[in-house]
mmCIF file of all heavy atoms in Angstrom:
data_model
loop_
_atom_site.group_PDB
_atom_site.id
_atom_site.type_symbol
_atom_site.label_atom_id
_atom_site.label_comp_id
_atom_site.label_asym_id
_atom_site.label_seq_id
_atom_site.Cartn_x
_atom_site.Cartn_y
_atom_site.Cartn_z
ATOM 1 N N GLY A 1 -77.477 34.002 -39.498
ATOM 2 C CA GLY A 1 -78.150 33.628 -40.724
ATOM 3 C C GLY A 1 -77.343 32.575 -41.451
ATOM 4 O O GLY A 1 -76.119 32.515 -41.335
ATOM 5 N N VAL A 2 -78.029 31.728 -42.194
ATOM 6 C CA VAL A 2 -77.389 30.691 -43.001
ATOM 7 C C VAL A 2 -77.339 31.186 -44.442
ATOM 8 O O VAL A 2 -78.375 31.500 -45.029
ATOM 9 C CB VAL A 2 -78.175 29.361 -42.915
ATOM 10 C CG1 VAL A 2 -77.529 28.305 -43.799
ATOM 11 C CG2 VAL A 2 -78.284 28.888 -41.470
ATOM 12 N N ILE A 3 -76.146 31.270 -44.984
ATOM 13 C CA ILE A 3 -75.929 31.722 -46.353
ATOM 14 C C ILE A 3 -75.392 30.546 -47.164
ATOM 15 O O ILE A 3 -74.485 29.843 -46.705
ATOM 16 C CB ILE A 3 -74.903 32.879 -46.416
ATOM 17 C CG1 ILE A 3 -75.327 34.054 -45.539
ATOM 18 C CG2 ILE A 3 -74.619 33.294 -47.860
ATOM 19 C CD1 ILE A 3 -76.500 34.829 -46.040
ATOM 20 N N THR A 4 -75.916 30.357 -48.355
ATOM 21 C CA THR A 4 -75.379 29.357 -49.282
ATOM 22 C C THR A 4 -74.982 30.069 -50.569
ATOM 23 O O THR A 4 -75.781 30.825 -51.139
ATOM 24 C CB THR A 4 -76.406 28.246 -49.580
ATOM 25 O OG1 THR A 4 -76.731 27.596 -48.343
ATOM 26 C CG2 THR A 4 -75.843 27.215 -50.550
ATOM 27 N N CYS A 5 -73.737 29.850 -50.985
ATOM 28 C CA CYS A 5 -73.193 30.457 -52.200
ATOM 29 C C CYS A 5 -72.642 29.381 -53.116
ATOM 30 O O CYS A 5 -72.110 28.372 -52.651
ATOM 31 C CB CYS A 5 -72.049 31.408 -51.868
ATOM 32 S SG CYS A 5 -72.532 32.886 -50.992
ATOM 33 N N ARG A 6 -72.746 29.639 -54.388
ATOM 34 C CA ARG A 6 -72.111 28.798 -55.408
ATOM 35 C C ARG A 6 -70.905 29.581 -55.905
ATOM 36 O O ARG A 6 -71.036 30.719 -56.373
ATOM 37 C CB ARG A 6 -73.091 28.521 -56.553
ATOM 38 C CG ARG A 6 -72.557 27.585 -57.593
ATOM 39 C CD ARG A 6 -72.645 26.152 -57.113
ATOM 40 N NE ARG A 6 -72.159 25.257 -58.147
ATOM 41 C CZ ARG A 6 -71.559 24.120 -57.890
ATOM 42 N NH1 ARG A 6 -71.403 23.729 -56.646
ATOM 43 N NH2 ARG A 6 -71.142 23.362 -58.855
ATOM 44 N N THR A 7 -69.716 28.985 -55.770
ATOM 45 C CA THR A 7 -68.479 29.668 -56.134
ATOM 46 C C THR A 7 -67.818 28.943 -57.293
ATOM 47 O O THR A 7 -67.796 27.710 -57.338
ATOM 48 C CB THR A 7 -67.522 29.729 -54.925
ATOM 49 O OG1 THR A 7 -68.153 30.498 -53.889
ATOM 50 C CG2 THR A 7 -66.199 30.374 -55.283
ATOM 51 N N ALA A 8 -67.285 29.729 -58.202
ATOM 52 C CA ALA A 8 -66.541 29.194 -59.346
ATOM 53 C C ALA A 8 -65.183 29.877 -59.397
ATOM 54 O O ALA A 8 -65.079 31.081 -59.179
ATOM 55 C CB ALA A 8 -67.300 29.441 -60.643
ATOM 56 N N GLY A 9 -64.162 29.088 -59.681
ATOM 57 C CA GLY A 9 -62.821 29.622 -59.868
ATOM 58 C C GLY A 9 -62.413 29.432 -61.316
ATOM 59 O O GLY A 9 -62.740 28.409 -61.934
ATOM 60 N N HIS A 10 -61.721 30.418 -61.864
ATOM 61 C CA HIS A 10 -61.215 30.301 -63.230
ATOM 62 C C HIS A 10 -59.801 30.862 -63.298
ATOM 63 O O HIS A 10 -59.377 31.622 -62.415
ATOM 64 C CB HIS A 10 -62.140 30.990 -64.238
ATOM 65 C CG HIS A 10 -62.279 32.465 -64.047
ATOM 66 N ND1 HIS A 10 -63.123 33.038 -63.143
ATOM 67 C CD2 HIS A 10 -61.642 33.486 -64.664
ATOM 68 C CE1 HIS A 10 -63.027 34.350 -63.204
ATOM 69 N NE2 HIS A 10 -62.138 34.656 -64.115
ATOM 70 N N ASN A 11 -59.084 30.481 -64.347
ATOM 71 C CA ASN A 11 -57.711 30.947 -64.491
ATOM 72 C C ASN A 11 -57.626 32.165 -65.407
ATOM 73 O O ASN A 11 -58.647 32.706 -65.839
ATOM 74 C CB ASN A 11 -56.797 29.805 -64.963
ATOM 75 C CG ASN A 11 -57.091 29.339 -66.375
ATOM 76 O OD1 ASN A 11 -57.758 30.023 -67.170
ATOM 77 N ND2 ASN A 11 -56.593 28.159 -66.714
ATOM 78 N N GLN A 12 -56.407 32.568 -65.691
ATOM 79 C CA GLN A 12 -56.149 33.768 -66.494
ATOM 80 C C GLN A 12 -56.694 33.657 -67.912
ATOM 81 O O GLN A 12 -56.895 34.670 -68.575
ATOM 82 C CB GLN A 12 -54.647 34.069 -66.525
ATOM 83 C CG GLN A 12 -53.802 33.052 -67.277
ATOM 84 C CD GLN A 12 -53.479 31.786 -66.486
ATOM 85 O OE1 GLN A 12 -53.785 31.674 -65.304
ATOM 86 N NE2 GLN A 12 -52.840 30.826 -67.151
ATOM 87 N N ASN A 13 -56.969 32.444 -68.371
ATOM 88 C CA ASN A 13 -57.532 32.246 -69.712
ATOM 89 C C ASN A 13 -59.043 32.098 -69.671
ATOM 90 O O ASN A 13 -59.654 31.721 -70.670
ATOM 91 C CB ASN A 13 -56.908 31.002 -70.366
ATOM 92 C CG ASN A 13 -55.415 31.139 -70.506
ATOM 93 O OD1 ASN A 13 -54.909 32.199 -70.865
ATOM 94 N ND2 ASN A 13 -54.698 30.080 -70.188
ATOM 95 N N ASP A 14 -59.638 32.366 -68.521
ATOM 96 C CA ASP A 14 -61.073 32.240 -68.287
ATOM 97 C C ASP A 14 -61.554 30.786 -68.373
ATOM 98 O O ASP A 14 -62.719 30.521 -68.631
ATOM 99 C CB ASP A 14 -61.880 33.138 -69.230
ATOM 100 C CG ASP A 14 -63.225 33.530 -68.627
ATOM 101 O OD1 ASP A 14 -63.328 33.590 -67.386
ATOM 102 O OD2 ASP A 14 -64.177 33.747 -69.393
ATOM 103 N N THR A 15 -60.645 29.850 -68.135
ATOM 104 C CA THR A 15 -60.995 28.435 -68.067
ATOM 105 C C THR A 15 -61.436 28.121 -66.643
ATOM 106 O O THR A 15 -60.687 28.377 -65.692
ATOM 107 C CB THR A 15 -59.781 27.545 -68.437
ATOM 108 O OG1 THR A 15 -59.357 27.875 -69.752
ATOM 109 C CG2 THR A 15 -60.133 26.068 -68.334
ATOM 110 N N HIS A 16 -62.639 27.592 -66.502
ATOM 111 C CA HIS A 16 -63.127 27.234 -65.171
ATOM 112 C C HIS A 16 -62.328 26.054 -64.640
ATOM 113 O O HIS A 16 -62.155 25.052 -65.338
ATOM 114 C CB HIS A 16 -64.621 26.926 -65.201
ATOM 115 C CG HIS A 16 -65.438 28.163 -65.300
ATOM 116 N ND1 HIS A 16 -65.935 28.826 -64.199
ATOM 117 C CD2 HIS A 16 -65.806 28.898 -66.373
ATOM 118 C CE1 HIS A 16 -66.574 29.906 -64.586
ATOM 119 N NE2 HIS A 16 -66.514 29.977 -65.909
ATOM 120 N N VAL A 17 -61.840 26.189 -63.407
ATOM 121 C CA VAL A 17 -61.003 25.146 -62.804
ATOM 122 C C VAL A 17 -61.661 24.494 -61.594
ATOM 123 O O VAL A 17 -61.247 23.411 -61.191
ATOM 124 C CB VAL A 17 -59.611 25.694 -62.420
ATOM 125 C CG1 VAL A 17 -58.873 26.212 -63.656
ATOM 126 C CG2 VAL A 17 -59.702 26.767 -61.348
ATOM 127 N N LEU A 18 -62.687 25.144 -61.019
ATOM 128 C CA LEU A 18 -63.286 24.645 -59.785
ATOM 129 C C LEU A 18 -64.677 25.224 -59.604
ATOM 130 O O LEU A 18 -64.901 26.403 -59.899
ATOM 131 C CB LEU A 18 -62.411 25.074 -58.589
ATOM 132 C CG LEU A 18 -62.936 24.838 -57.186
ATOM 133 C CD1 LEU A 18 -62.939 23.355 -56.851
ATOM 134 C CD2 LEU A 18 -62.097 25.593 -56.171
ATOM 135 N N THR A 19 -65.603 24.401 -59.131
ATOM 136 C CA THR A 19 -66.905 24.894 -58.678
ATOM 137 C C THR A 19 -67.222 24.214 -57.358
ATOM 138 O O THR A 19 -66.784 23.085 -57.096
ATOM 139 C CB THR A 19 -68.037 24.593 -59.691
ATOM 140 O OG1 THR A 19 -68.115 23.191 -59.899
ATOM 141 C CG2 THR A 19 -67.817 25.321 -61.003
ATOM 142 N N LEU A 20 -67.961 24.900 -56.517
ATOM 143 C CA LEU A 20 -68.364 24.353 -55.223
ATOM 144 C C LEU A 20 -69.548 25.131 -54.679
ATOM 145 O O LEU A 20 -69.797 26.268 -55.081
ATOM 146 C CB LEU A 20 -67.214 24.396 -54.216
ATOM 147 C CG LEU A 20 -66.736 25.799 -53.831
ATOM 148 C CD1 LEU A 20 -67.003 26.052 -52.364
ATOM 149 C CD2 LEU A 20 -65.271 25.942 -54.143
ATOM 150 N N THR A 21 -70.250 24.508 -53.775
ATOM 151 C CA THR A 21 -71.314 25.171 -53.030
ATOM 152 C C THR A 21 -70.878 25.211 -51.570
ATOM 153 O O THR A 21 -70.431 24.197 -51.028
ATOM 154 C CB THR A 21 -72.651 24.415 -53.175
ATOM 155 O OG1 THR A 21 -72.975 24.358 -54.564
ATOM 156 C CG2 THR A 21 -73.767 25.111 -52.420
ATOM 157 N N ARG A 22 -70.980 26.371 -50.957
ATOM 158 C CA ARG A 22 -70.529 26.562 -49.578
ATOM 159 C C ARG A 22 -71.666 27.149 -48.766
ATOM 160 O O ARG A 22 -72.333 28.091 -49.192
ATOM 161 C CB ARG A 22 -69.326 27.502 -49.564
ATOM 162 C CG ARG A 22 -68.765 27.761 -48.201
ATOM 163 C CD ARG A 22 -67.433 28.501 -48.339
ATOM 164 N NE ARG A 22 -67.037 29.030 -47.068
ATOM 165 C CZ ARG A 22 -66.717 30.290 -46.833
ATOM 166 N NH1 ARG A 22 -66.718 31.172 -47.812
ATOM 167 N NH2 ARG A 22 -66.367 30.693 -45.644
ATOM 168 N N THR A 23 -71.866 26.599 -47.577
ATOM 169 C CA THR A 23 -72.888 27.085 -46.651
ATOM 170 C C THR A 23 -72.201 27.451 -45.340
ATOM 171 O O THR A 23 -71.366 26.698 -44.830
ATOM 172 C CB THR A 23 -73.969 26.006 -46.416
ATOM 173 O OG1 THR A 23 -74.525 25.635 -47.689
ATOM 174 C CG2 THR A 23 -75.071 26.510 -45.510
ATOM 175 N N PHE A 24 -72.565 28.624 -44.794
ATOM 176 C CA PHE A 24 -71.901 29.119 -43.589
ATOM 177 C C PHE A 24 -72.842 30.014 -42.798
ATOM 178 O O PHE A 24 -73.882 30.453 -43.298
ATOM 179 C CB PHE A 24 -70.610 29.872 -43.952
ATOM 180 C CG PHE A 24 -70.792 30.923 -45.008
ATOM 181 C CD1 PHE A 24 -71.049 32.246 -44.673
ATOM 182 C CD2 PHE A 24 -70.714 30.595 -46.358
ATOM 183 C CE1 PHE A 24 -71.226 33.207 -45.651
ATOM 184 C CE2 PHE A 24 -70.883 31.555 -47.344
ATOM 185 C CZ PHE A 24 -71.129 32.863 -46.989
ATOM 186 N N LEU A 25 -72.473 30.280 -41.555
ATOM 187 C CA LEU A 25 -73.233 31.169 -40.668
ATOM 188 C C LEU A 25 -72.583 32.543 -40.633
ATOM 189 O O LEU A 25 -71.355 32.640 -40.522
ATOM 190 C CB LEU A 25 -73.243 30.636 -39.240
ATOM 191 C CG LEU A 25 -74.089 29.433 -38.901
ATOM 192 C CD1 LEU A 25 -73.884 29.061 -37.422
ATOM 193 C CD2 LEU A 25 -75.549 29.709 -39.166
ATOM 194 N N ILE A 26 -73.398 33.580 -40.694
ATOM 195 C CA ILE A 26 -72.917 34.931 -40.431
ATOM 196 C C ILE A 26 -73.930 35.616 -39.514
ATOM 197 O O ILE A 26 -75.100 35.227 -39.461
ATOM 198 C CB ILE A 26 -72.692 35.765 -41.711
ATOM 199 C CG1 ILE A 26 -73.991 36.034 -42.457
ATOM 200 C CG2 ILE A 26 -71.671 35.110 -42.611
ATOM 201 C CD1 ILE A 26 -73.821 37.076 -43.565
ATOM 202 N N PRO A 27 -73.498 36.643 -38.782
ATOM 203 C CA PRO A 27 -74.424 37.322 -37.888
ATOM 204 C C PRO A 27 -75.512 38.072 -38.663
ATOM 205 O O PRO A 27 -75.245 38.622 -39.732
ATOM 206 C CB PRO A 27 -73.538 38.286 -37.102
ATOM 207 C CG PRO A 27 -72.323 38.476 -37.951
ATOM 208 C CD PRO A 27 -72.149 37.213 -38.739
ATOM 209 N N LEU A 28 -76.705 38.088 -38.103
ATOM 210 C CA LEU A 28 -77.784 38.869 -38.708
ATOM 211 C C LEU A 28 -77.495 40.362 -38.583
ATOM 212 O O LEU A 28 -77.875 41.143 -39.448
ATOM 213 C CB LEU A 28 -79.117 38.537 -38.041
ATOM 214 C CG LEU A 28 -79.648 37.117 -38.288
ATOM 215 C CD1 LEU A 28 -80.906 36.872 -37.459
ATOM 216 C CD2 LEU A 28 -79.915 36.869 -39.761
ATOM 217 N N ASP A 29 -76.832 40.754 -37.514
ATOM 218 C CA ASP A 29 -76.494 42.161 -37.288
ATOM 219 C C ASP A 29 -74.981 42.326 -37.322
ATOM 220 O O ASP A 29 -74.302 42.254 -36.301
ATOM 221 C CB ASP A 29 -77.062 42.630 -35.945
ATOM 222 C CG ASP A 29 -76.890 44.121 -35.721
ATOM 223 O OD1 ASP A 29 -76.149 44.779 -36.484
ATOM 224 O OD2 ASP A 29 -77.507 44.627 -34.759
ATOM 225 N N ALA A 30 -74.451 42.525 -38.526
ATOM 226 C CA ALA A 30 -73.002 42.639 -38.699
ATOM 227 C C ALA A 30 -72.425 43.817 -37.925
ATOM 228 O O ALA A 30 -71.349 43.710 -37.341
ATOM 229 C CB ALA A 30 -72.663 42.778 -40.183
ATOM 230 N N ASP A 31 -73.132 44.945 -37.901
ATOM 231 C CA ASP A 31 -72.595 46.114 -37.204
ATOM 232 C C ASP A 31 -72.458 45.875 -35.708
ATOM 233 O O ASP A 31 -71.500 46.346 -35.088
ATOM 234 C CB ASP A 31 -73.456 47.346 -37.473
ATOM 235 C CG ASP A 31 -73.269 47.871 -38.891
ATOM 236 O OD1 ASP A 31 -72.194 47.607 -39.490
ATOM 237 O OD2 ASP A 31 -74.182 48.547 -39.402
ATOM 238 N N ALA A 32 -73.378 45.133 -35.109
ATOM 239 C CA ALA A 32 -73.253 44.823 -33.680
ATOM 240 C C ALA A 32 -71.984 44.003 -33.420
ATOM 241 O O ALA A 32 -71.259 44.247 -32.446
ATOM 242 C CB ALA A 32 -74.488 44.081 -33.189
ATOM 243 N N VAL A 33 -71.721 43.030 -34.288
ATOM 244 C CA VAL A 33 -70.519 42.209 -34.140
ATOM 245 C C VAL A 33 -69.268 43.059 -34.384
ATOM 246 O O VAL A 33 -68.301 42.978 -33.633
ATOM 247 C CB VAL A 33 -70.562 40.995 -35.095
ATOM 248 C CG1 VAL A 33 -69.219 40.259 -35.111
ATOM 249 C CG2 VAL A 33 -71.671 40.061 -34.696
#
């Protein structure tokens, strides 16, 4: 399956330092893998 996530990173002061969109493949049947 193709998964797309939007990820945000922030520091200890809750200041956002990074955002990105990542797309990757994962198995449809995780337990089989």
Side-chain angles (χ1 to χ4, degrees):
V2 178
I3 304 289
T4 299
C5 292
R6 184 79 178 148
T7 298
H10 63 278
N11 67 17
Q12 68 280 354
N13 300 318
D14 207 28
T15 301
H16 284 267
V17 299
L18 171 71
T19 59
L20 65 115
T21 301
R22 181 170 167 233
T23 303
F24 51 93
L25 287 178
I26 65 169
L28 292 174
D29 187 349
D31 287 336
V33 171

